[in-house]
Amino acid sequence: MTSNVTLAQRARNTRRRYQICLIHPFDPRGQKVGGLETYIRDFITFHPSDTDLLFIGVDSIGDLEIGKIRRLSFRGRQFDFMPILRYSDEQAREAAKTIRSSLTGQFFMALLRNFRTIAHLIRARKCSIDLRRVEFSWLPVILRLPFVQMLHGEGAPKLKMDSLLRKYSFVHNAGERFAIATSEKFLCVNPFITERLQKTYPSQKGKIDTLWTWVNTNIFQPQPFSPTNLPFRVIFAGRLDEFKQPSLMFRTIARLRDRLHGNLEFHYVGTSDPTRFAEFEDIADITTRHGFKDAIGMAATIASAHAGILTSEFEGMPRCVLETLAVGRPVVAVHLPQLESVIHDGTSGYLVPREGSPDDMTEVLVERFLAVRDLIASGEMQPETVAASIENFTPGTQLARVFHYHQEIQNARHPLVMAQRHEGLL
């Protein structure tokens, strides 16, 4: 009978690391910000020590050879990066007008051009694949490799978006159906999308689940409030898509300025141009446009403010809200169901009902900001209490689930290794 020593030796000889391939039109070294981009940066930052990453993406800087693998270091973590397209941050900053000129369209074509090389790499490493966009789900299917798919947005054509999604929603919808049918796990950014898809695709209900967004609490930590005798500072971070209702946001800031007799500052972190909205003209003189900020810069900028604002018609779980709360800054937001889990009236901000006229909503938003200012001034609202509202939205509680799914997939495809891990030999 084979001895335990021999089994242990065999285990050491057959021991393998987990291999994950990320595919997304993005360069983690670049200046592009958003939920998708933060997901990938954090995926690299927090990947387990027994896992190797291959990232197939975009060179936004122009310093890498296209189609060649480079070992890169990001936030002290190593990963293999193969850019298949050169596409600058300036090109990606504003929405494309045609599929041919869009980043997604060009990346799709680059995947086709580099298909043979990509196929060889992923198969040789025995990767499972992690996808952010349903439009790319055809690749792992052709390669006959398992993949985890995430849906970050609804793709609702009735809503105004700074992308081609509204015009070509049928492409997204077809990709959604295909990815749900072929993925190992299909994750959604909030339970309302999950519920919709489970009802739409009842035969696939078991694989459809919710993965909440998270915030990197190593970087975003509670900070003391600035004195309230300084101008009251309100902050927003992200793209100014029309579905985020910048007009309502800017009208609120303008009216709040009047109520505070000019003792107000508005801070915008992002690369969109707010001047394309007529309402911005009334607050341009009290607005600081910070442009791009990396995570450390974002945390510091949020810490210099007193409160955040969100006026979106729909979102996943807005990362800017989680980051603002994590720094200990309350958020006043127009109601979204998923925000009920983190914004508690009078404790971490306020949720304003989505009812009445735009003027009515503006007035309620202003009243809630005045209430927040009073609570901060009186000491009744403390940064540590605000930050406690996001304790379930950290990489250790959310992102770790994704790595676990990939481990399960790869263990199932390599039963000998899985059995040895179960027996404690690995």
Side-chain angles (χ1 to χ4, degrees), residues 161-217:
M161 305 182 71
D162 273 359
S163 73
L164 296 174
L165 185 57
R166 175 176 50 172
K167 185 176 181 180
Y168 295 100
S169 60
F170 66 91
V171 176
H172 173 88
N173 294 337
E176 176 184 283
R177 289 192 297 271
F178 184 76
I180 288 175
T182 55
S183 62
E184 295 290 321
K185 200 75 177 177
F186 193 96
L187 304 173
C188 310
V189 292
N190 65 56
F192 312 101
I193 302 177
T194 302
E195 182 180 4
R196 174 181 71 81
L197 294 180
Q198 288 177 337
K199 289 180 179 179
T200 305
Y201 308 99
S203 64
Q204 306 292 341
K205 182 177 180 179
K207 73 169 66 171
I208 303 171
D209 201 357
T210 303
L211 179 75
W212 291 102
T213 304
W214 58 87
V215 57
N216 184 346
T217 50

Side-chain angles (χ1 to χ4, degrees), residues 240 246 250 268 272-281 284 287 289:
L240 293 173
F250 299 155
Y268 170 56
S272 295
D273 180 10
T275 62
R276 60 196 178 97
F277 298 93
E279 293 81 359
F280 180 73
E281 183 178 355
T287 298
R289 295 166 61 178

Side-chain angles (χ1 to χ4, degrees), residues 38-104:
T38 301
Y39 175 96
I40 292 173
R41 290 184 174 114
D42 283 354
F43 200 99
I44 296 169
T45 302
F46 295 102
H47 74 271
S49 59
D50 63 353
T51 300
D52 296 321
L53 298 185
L54 168 65
F55 181 27
I56 297 172
V58 169
D59 174 15
S60 68
I61 298 174
D63 61 340
L64 300 179
E65 186 176 355
I66 300 303
K68 299 296 181 181
I69 294 179
R70 287 280 301 273
R71 173 60 63 95
L72 298 181
S73 179
F74 181 76
R75 295 178 182 169
R77 303 302 306 278
Q78 300 287 314
F79 71 103
D80 289 331
F81 185 44
M82 189 176 85
I84 59 172
L85 177 69
R86 186 162 287 125
Y87 200 97
S88 71
D89 288 329
E90 288 71 23
Q91 289 174 280
R93 188 158 293 164
E94 296 298 336
K97 303 302 182 184
T98 66
I99 288 181
R100 180 182 294 273
S101 64
S102 72
L103 176 54
T104 301

Side-chain angles (χ1 to χ4, degrees), residues 362-373:
T362 299
E363 187 60 30
V364 177
L365 285 164
V366 168
E367 291 294 335
R368 295 297 178 265
F369 274 113
L370 293 174
V372 162
R373 184 175 181 272

Side-chain angles (χ1 to χ4, degrees), residues 58-323:
V58 169
D59 174 15
S60 68
I61 298 174
D63 61 340
L64 300 179
E65 186 176 355
I66 300 303
K68 299 296 181 181
I69 294 179
R70 287 280 301 273
R71 173 60 63 95
L72 298 181
S73 179
F74 181 76
R75 295 178 182 169
R77 303 302 306 278
Q78 300 287 314
F79 71 103
D80 289 331
F81 185 44
M82 189 176 85
I84 59 172
L85 177 69
R86 186 162 287 125
Y87 200 97
S88 71
D89 288 329
E90 288 71 23
Q91 289 174 280
R93 188 158 293 164
E94 296 298 336
K97 303 302 182 184
T98 66
I99 288 181
R100 180 182 294 273
S101 64
S102 72
L103 176 54
T104 301
Q106 292 198 31
F107 191 73
F108 184 95
M109 297 305 297
L111 286 173
L112 293 178
R113 289 194 302 271
N114 293 274
F115 178 79
R116 183 171 297 180
T117 301
I118 293 170
H120 175 74
L121 279 172
I122 298 176
R123 284 173 172 160
R125 297 185 182 213
K126 298 181 176 155
C127 296
S128 53
I129 298 174
D130 199 86
L131 291 179
R132 306 296 91 207
R133 298 292 298 269
V134 296
E135 292 86 352
F136 304 138
S137 58
W138 58 271
L139 180 61
V141 173
I142 291 176
L143 297 178
R144 297 183 181 179
L145 291 173
F147 69 103
V148 174
Q149 176 73 61
M150 191 161 187
L151 182 65
H152 283 261
E154 283 280 24
K158 66 181 179 180
L159 296 172
K160 296 178 180 180
M161 305 182 71
D162 273 359
S163 73
L164 296 174
L165 185 57
R166 175 176 50 172
K167 185 176 181 180
Y168 295 100
S169 60
F170 66 91
V171 176
H172 173 88
N173 294 337
E176 176 184 283
R177 289 192 297 271
F178 184 76
I180 288 175
T182 55
S183 62
E184 295 290 321
K185 200 75 177 177
F186 193 96
L187 304 173
C188 310
V189 292
N190 65 56
F192 312 101
I193 302 177
T194 302
E195 182 180 4
R196 174 181 71 81
L197 294 180
Q198 288 177 337
K199 289 180 179 179
T200 305
Y201 308 99
S203 64
Q204 306 292 341
K205 182 177 180 179
K207 73 169 66 171
I208 303 171
D209 201 357
T210 303
L211 179 75
W212 291 102
T213 304
W214 58 87
V215 57
N216 184 346
T217 50
N218 293 338
I219 296 175
F220 295 87
Q221 300 179 346
Q223 301 294 325
F225 285 115
S226 300
T228 51
N229 60 352
L230 297 175
F232 188 64
R233 296 170 181 165
V234 178
I235 191 168
F236 171 75
R239 270 177 53 156
L240 293 173
D241 297 285
E242 289 191 37
F243 73 83
K244 296 187 179 183
Q245 300 193 94
S247 297
L248 174 59
M249 185 189 306
F250 299 155
R251 282 198 303 271
T252 298
I253 297 300
R255 191 172 300 182
L256 181 60
R257 175 194 197 175
D258 292 340
R259 295 287 295 275
L260 291 174
H261 308 291
N263 197 31
L264 177 69
E265 295 176 4
F266 179 58
H267 293 256
Y268 170 56
V269 181
T271 56
S272 295
D273 180 10
T275 62
R276 60 196 178 97
F277 298 93
E279 293 81 359
F280 180 73
E281 183 178 355
D282 292 335
I283 63 168
D285 61 322
I286 61 166
T287 298
T288 301
R289 295 166 61 178
H290 294 273
F292 167 78
K293 292 283 185 181
D294 61 13
I296 294 174
M298 179 79 79
T301 304
I302 293 172
S304 71
H306 293 96
I309 184 172
L310 188 79
T311 54
S312 300
E313 291 182 279
F314 83 103
E315 290 273 3
M317 172 59 86
R319 195 176 296 271
C320 67
V321 169
L322 296 182
E323 292 175 344

Side-chain angles (χ1 to χ4, degrees), residues 288-405:
T288 301
R289 295 166 61 178
H290 294 273
F292 167 78
K293 292 283 185 181
D294 61 13
I296 294 174
M298 179 79 79
T301 304
I302 293 172
S304 71
H306 293 96
I309 184 172
L310 188 79
T311 54
S312 300
E313 291 182 279
F314 83 103
E315 290 273 3
M317 172 59 86
R319 195 176 296 271
C320 67
V321 169
L322 296 182
E323 292 175 344
T324 302
L325 295 172
V327 176
R329 300 300 179 262
V331 175
V332 177
V334 176
H335 182 271
L336 293 169
Q338 61 270 33
L339 294 180
E340 294 175 6
S341 59
V342 293
I343 298 180
H344 311 126
D345 284 359
T347 301
S348 56
Y350 287 94
L351 290 177
V352 172
R354 194 178 297 276
E355 60 188 24
S357 68
D359 191 65
D360 292 336
M361 291 175 64
T362 299
E363 187 60 30
V364 177
L365 285 164
V366 168
E367 291 294 335
R368 295 297 178 265
F369 274 113
L370 293 174
V372 162
R373 184 175 181 272
D374 291 343
L375 288 169
I376 294 172
S378 68
E380 296 178 67
M381 184 172 282
Q382 292 294 324
E384 291 76 15
T385 305
V386 174
S389 65
I390 57 90
E391 62 184 357
N392 293 324
F393 297 88
T394 65
T397 56
Q398 299 299 328
L399 184 56
R401 292 175 52 208
V402 183
F403 295 122
H404 180 67
Y405 293 140

